[in-house]
């Protein structure tokens, strides 16, 4: 994993990003919400070296979808902690 | 064999349940929420699928509000002890199972809380929800923080007006915990519509799953303190349990094969339909109740309440003697006090308790007839 995404990466269509969600249950719920919005994502393990609290799960998604993913998760009450380009 | 002890645990389990448990034991090579190898992720998917089904089944806000437990008793302990703080006052009904009464009594005995018992008028055919609600309101104190009650009695077919009780609790800002041990899989339950903070269900009764399973379904804003601490697979560097459900309440490895079986049981119930299950069990109740009441010396308790549980006693033989004689004929029922001293007192059953017949989806009208004939024969020989 490299630097944190702070902007809009819609112009980088082939890149993959990950965003930490929390527990595996929360990550799978996030995945289901996004699937219902037509955005397929994958649940992955977050690299423990990048987290303050230890083990967590993340979603992996095309970076260019970040804005719409963020909006969909926020409206479902799921906290957005920022995405990272792989 | 005739199995009329479904209120203790459903039997036989559906073939789909047996298959799912077996499949999971042979193919789920991993621990859900621990690691991310293929087997661990497949295990996590199986748990998540069950949570999603349960959330839809019980009207929960999201799959995260479904907490897996070792049964309804474990769920009730988690809810009761998680919501209460020293100095709180609790209300329980006079129909409670020991799964509610004992945790409340233990806290009271330790001097941490106080409690009152509200009447359900279960023996009175003219009891109304309004009368029960008045009894509750009369007992509310400034420090009343929690009301815990059964949805459906485990010794007869009396049900409590859960939705109205939940609304009353919401108006008074009192937490509401519903013991749905005998109603899950029999009656419609919706945690949000009932204004419940937690609904506690077993997986092995009306939901037709294996023993060792259950759930605490949390309301949208319910956040009891966890009473169990340990590994949760998330935020491992923290000294405290994670802040969010369900992992906040699920320390240790979950019994995935059993939970997968409970999931298959819930799907079976959904396929059959709650209304069909209820109609089937009520018809059996009606048929057997009429037959038993025609036998001299038999008293059916709370005969006004029809459902899946029928309680009776004989004027001549003890409940244990009747159950033992039935067992010799290959008929399984449960006699005694059914872990529900409060409820037996409320129904004024005789010393030695009563015989409980509890129906399930697999029972038939022919079995009910055979049962009545067996009881008649046993009593005529006594």
């Amino acid at each position: 994993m490299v630097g944190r995404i702070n902007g809009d990466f819609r112009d980088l269509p082939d890149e993959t990003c990950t965003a930490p969600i929390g527990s595996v249950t929360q990550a799978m719920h996030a995945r289901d919400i996004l699937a219902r919005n037509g955005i397929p994502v994958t649940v992955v393990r977050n690299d423990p070296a990048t987290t303050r609290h230890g083990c967590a799960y993340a979603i992996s998604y095309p970076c260019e979808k970040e804005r719409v993913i963020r909006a969909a998760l926020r409206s479902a009450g799921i906290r957005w902690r920022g995405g990272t380009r792989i | 064999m005739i199995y009329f002890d479904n209120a203790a645990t459903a039997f036989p389990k559906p073939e789909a349940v047996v298959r799912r448990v077996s499949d999971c034991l042979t193919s789920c090579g991993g621990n859900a929420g621990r690691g991310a190898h293929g087997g661990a992720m497949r295990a996590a998917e199986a748990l998540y699928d069950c949570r999603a089904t349960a959330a839809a089944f019980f009207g929960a806000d999201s799959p995260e509000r479904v907490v897996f437990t070792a049964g309804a008793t474990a769920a009730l302990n988690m809810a009761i002890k998680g919501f209460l703080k020293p100095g709180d006052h609790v209300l329980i009904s006079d129909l409670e199972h020991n799964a509610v009464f004992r945790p409340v009594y233990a806290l009271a005995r330790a001097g941490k809380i106080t409690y009152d018992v509200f009447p359900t008028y279960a023996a009175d055919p003219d009891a109304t929800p309004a009368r029960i609600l008045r009894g509750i309101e009369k007992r509310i104190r400034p420090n009343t923080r929690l009301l815990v009650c059964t949805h459906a009695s485990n010794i007869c077919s009396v049900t409590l007006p859960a939705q109205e009780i939940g609304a009353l609790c919401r108006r008074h800002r009192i937490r509401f915990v519903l013991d749905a041990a005998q109603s899950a899989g029999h009656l419609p339950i919706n945690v949000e519509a009932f204004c419940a903070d937690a609904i506690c269900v077993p997986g092995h009764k009306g939901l037709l799953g294996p023993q060792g399973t259950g759930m605490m379904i949390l309301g949208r804003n319910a956040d009891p303190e966890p009473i169990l601490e340990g590994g949760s697979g998330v935020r491992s560097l923290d000294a405290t349990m994670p802040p969010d459900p369900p992992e906040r309440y699920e320390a240790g490895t979950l019994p995935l094969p059993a939970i997968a079986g409970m999931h298959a049981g819930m799907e079976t119930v959904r396929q059959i339909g709650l209304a069909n299950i209820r109609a089937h069990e009520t018809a059996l109740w009606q048929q057997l109740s009429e037959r038993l009441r025609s036998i001299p010396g038999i008293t059916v308790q709370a005969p006004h309440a029809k459902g899946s549980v029928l309680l009776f006693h004989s004027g001549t033989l003890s409940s244990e003697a009747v159950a033992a004689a039935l067992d010799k004929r290959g008929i399984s029922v449960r006699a005694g006090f059914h872990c529900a001293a409060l409820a037996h007192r409320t129904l004024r059953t005789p010393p030695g308790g009563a015989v409980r017949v509890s129906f399930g989806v697999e029972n038939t009208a022919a079995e009910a007839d055979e049962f009545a004939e067996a009881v008649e024969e046993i009593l005529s020989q006594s």
Side-chain angles (χ1 to χ4, degrees):
Chain A
M1 292 186 190
V2 290
R4 187 182 174 83
I5 293 175
N6 290 313
D8 185 349
F9 281 76
R10 279 177 303 176
D11 54 342
L12 298 171
D14 295 331
E15 290 195 279
T16 301
C17 289
T18 64
I21 299 293
S23 71
V24 72
T25 312
Q26 290 169 318
M28 286 178 174
H29 186 205
R31 178 199 61 191
D32 282 4
I33 288 164
L34 294 171
R36 284 199 287 275
N37 283 275
I39 310 162
V41 304
T42 311
V43 174
V44 296
R45 182 93 162 155
N46 213 31
D47 181 352
T50 67
T51 66
R52 208 154 43 91
H53 300 282
C55 308
Y57 290 81
I59 52 168
S60 169
Y61 55 92
C63 297
E64 79 271 13
K65 298 277 188 192
E66 178 155 321
R67 180 177 285 179
V68 63
I69 286 173
R70 205 166 48 200
L73 294 184
R74 275 190 179 149
S75 70
I78 294 177
R79 216 173 306 143
W80 179 258
R81 297 178 174 96
T84 305
R85 198 185 324 163
I86 298 174
Chain B
M1 178 200 180
I2 296 176
Y3 186 79
F4 277 166
D5 198 18
N6 289 280
T9 193
F11 187 82
K13 306 297 182 191
E15 185 51 41
V17 171
V18 177
R19 219 173 24 246
R20 195 78 65 86
V21 173
S22 173
D23 288 351
C24 192
L25 280 168
T26 51
S27 66
C28 294
N31 195 341
R34 272 73 168 169
H37 60 82
M41 292 308 282
R42 279 192 295 279
E45 293 285 0
L47 282 191
Y48 180 78
D49 288 349
C50 184
R51 286 192 215 277
T53 297
F57 198 93
F58 293 105
D61 205 32
S62 72
E64 287 97 316
R65 310 306 290 176
V66 175
V67 176
F68 293 125
T69 65
T73 297
L76 283 162
N77 270 269
M78 289 165 78
I80 291 167
K81 292 170 182 169
F83 280 127
L84 286 173
K85 292 189 169 46
D88 287 349
H89 174 250
V90 190
L91 288 171
I92 63 173
S93 88
D94 64 7
L95 272 187
E96 294 314 306
H97 186 277
N98 281 343
V100 168
F101 177 63
R102 283 183 173 170
V104 168
Y105 181 76
L107 290 171
R109 195 162 176 238
K112 293 177 180 167
I113 62 149
T114 52
Y115 74 93
D116 274 303
V117 178
F118 67 85
T120 58
Y121 311 103
D124 182 353
D126 299 322
T128 59
R131 197 172 164 205
I132 296 170
L133 297 183
R134 277 198 301 276
I136 294 171
E137 276 199 294
K138 243 169 62 179
R139 288 165 177 81
I140 293 174
R141 299 181 190 170
N143 63 333
T144 304
R145 294 282 175 271
L146 180 68
L147 185 149
V148 195
C149 71
T150 186
H151 189 196
S153 168
N154 72 308
I155 67 164
C156 62
S157 286
V158 168
T159 59
L160 296 189
Q163 193 156 354
E164 290 89 335
I165 292 173
L168 183 148
C169 288
R170 185 66 54 91
R171 280 200 302 279
H172 288 273
R173 295 171 185 256
I174 296 170
R175 295 270 188 205
F176 175 40
V177 172
L178 187 67
D179 173 4
Q182 299 298 340
S183 58
H186 298 275
L187 296 170
I189 297 171
N190 186 301
V191 65
E192 294 304 332
F194 284 14
C195 300
D197 290 286
I199 289 181
C200 302
V201 303
H204 67 106
K205 295 185 179 181
L207 299 183
L208 310 176
Q211 288 93 331
T213 56
M215 292 174 281
M216 175 172 70
I217 316 288
L218 290 171
R220 194 173 291 138
N221 300 311
D223 56 349
E225 284 297 315
I227 62 164
L228 195 65
E229 277 104 12
S232 64
V234 66
R235 295 174 77 108
S236 306
L237 297 180
D238 291 356
T240 55
M241 290 298 282
D244 301 316
E247 286 80 5
R248 178 167 175 73
Y249 306 101
E250 293 177 345
T253 296
L254 291 168
L256 176 61
I259 290 169
M262 175 173 70
H263 188 192
M266 260 189 294
E267 288 171 343
T268 304
V269 169
R270 205 170 49 181
Q271 280 159 15
I272 300 170
L274 285 176
N276 291 329
I277 291 170
R278 186 75 177 158
H280 174 68
E281 292 168 348
T282 304
L284 291 175
W285 189 100
Q286 184 75 39
Q287 177 193 336
L288 184 58
S289 173
E290 281 168 15
R291 287 288 307 268
L292 289 178
R293 278 188 285 178
S294 72
I295 301 172
I298 291 282
T299 302
V300 173
Q301 303 277 348
H304 52 282
K306 302 169 181 62
S308 59
V309 180
L310 191 155
L311 191 73
F312 73 93
H313 67 267
S314 141
T316 51
L317 273 184
S318 75
S319 66
E320 282 300 339
V322 173
L326 287 166
D327 185 43
K328 281 188 186 147
R329 289 164 171 77
I331 299 172
S332 305
V333 293
R334 184 167 166 200
F337 297 107
H338 314 96
C339 301
L342 281 178
H344 273 272
R345 208 171 298 148
T346 298
L347 291 186
R348 297 191 189 91
T349 56
V355 181
R356 182 182 72 181
V357 177
S358 48
F359 304 111
V361 287
E362 297 281 339
N363 291 131
T364 64
E367 289 178 331
D369 276 339
E370 196 181 323
F371 181 89
E373 281 155 24
V375 171
E376 206 161 7
E377 194 181 296
I378 290 163
L379 292 183
S380 70
Q381 290 168 359
S382 68

